[in-house]
Amino acid sequence: FIPQKPYMLLGSLREQLCYPTEVKKFSDEHLTSVLHEVNLKTLVDRYPNLDIKQDWQRLLSLGEQQRLAFARLLLNSPKYVVLDEATSALDVNTEKHLYELLNQRDMACISVGHRPTLKNYHETVLEITENKGWRLLPAASYQFTEN
């Protein structure tokens, strides 16, 4: 489950990336590679030592935190992922890139969000309607409406 504002623990960049697994599970090369994949190369450039401890929640923008959360997903490779406004601070090109990375790894995604572009990464939309109603619709033909 990845919320709009990902959990950032106090610790090293390595600990951030590996959370919630053991830090010894991944090599430096693997961690650095994943940071590059999620467009956080500048973070690697600024902090080449993955063991440096920082207040990442304050140091990183929300968009960087969201990309770091996607790096965690890529490292841990769950079968299913729930993304709750997990790309809200990102531009649509970065959002597309991150969803493509999840798709390449065959992760089933459930997205909660208001961005019309999200339907591009799903087959079905669950729309919650008035009076506790709901309906399932094909994503390809779904039209977002402003409420």
Side-chain angles (χ1 to χ4, degrees), residues 19-20 34 61-63 81 86 113 118 132 137:
Y19 177 82
V34 168
S61 70
L62 181 56
V81 59
L118 289 175
K132 300 180 184 178
L137 303 161

Side-chain angles (χ1 to χ4, degrees), residues 78-83 99 102-103 105-111 121-122:
K79 290 182 181 180
Y80 305 97
V81 59
V82 177
L83 303 165
Y99 270 93
L102 299 182
N103 188 42
R105 286 165 172 82
D106 293 323
M107 289 184 209
C109 297
I110 298 170
S111 297
Y121 317 113
H122 303 283

Side-chain angles (χ1 to χ4, degrees), residues 48-109:
N49 179 353
L50 297 173
D51 293 312
I52 220 158
K53 294 186 186 284
Q54 294 287 348
D55 185 352
W56 300 105
Q57 185 172 331
R58 283 192 8 199
L59 188 67
L60 301 178
S61 70
L62 181 56
E64 289 171 321
Q65 290 177 42
Q66 289 180 346
R67 284 180 280 159
L68 193 130
F70 272 79
R72 287 176 182 159
L73 287 176
L74 298 179
L75 288 165
N76 290 295
S77 298
K79 290 182 181 180
Y80 305 97
V81 59
V82 177
L83 303 165
D84 184 4
E85 297 280 355
T87 58
S88 63
L90 303 174
D91 62 82
V92 293
N93 290 329
T94 302
E95 174 188 79
K96 180 181 181 201
H97 173 70
L98 295 176
Y99 270 93
E100 286 172 350
L101 290 172
L102 299 182
N103 188 42
Q104 289 167 10
R105 286 165 172 82
D106 293 323
M107 289 184 209
C109 297

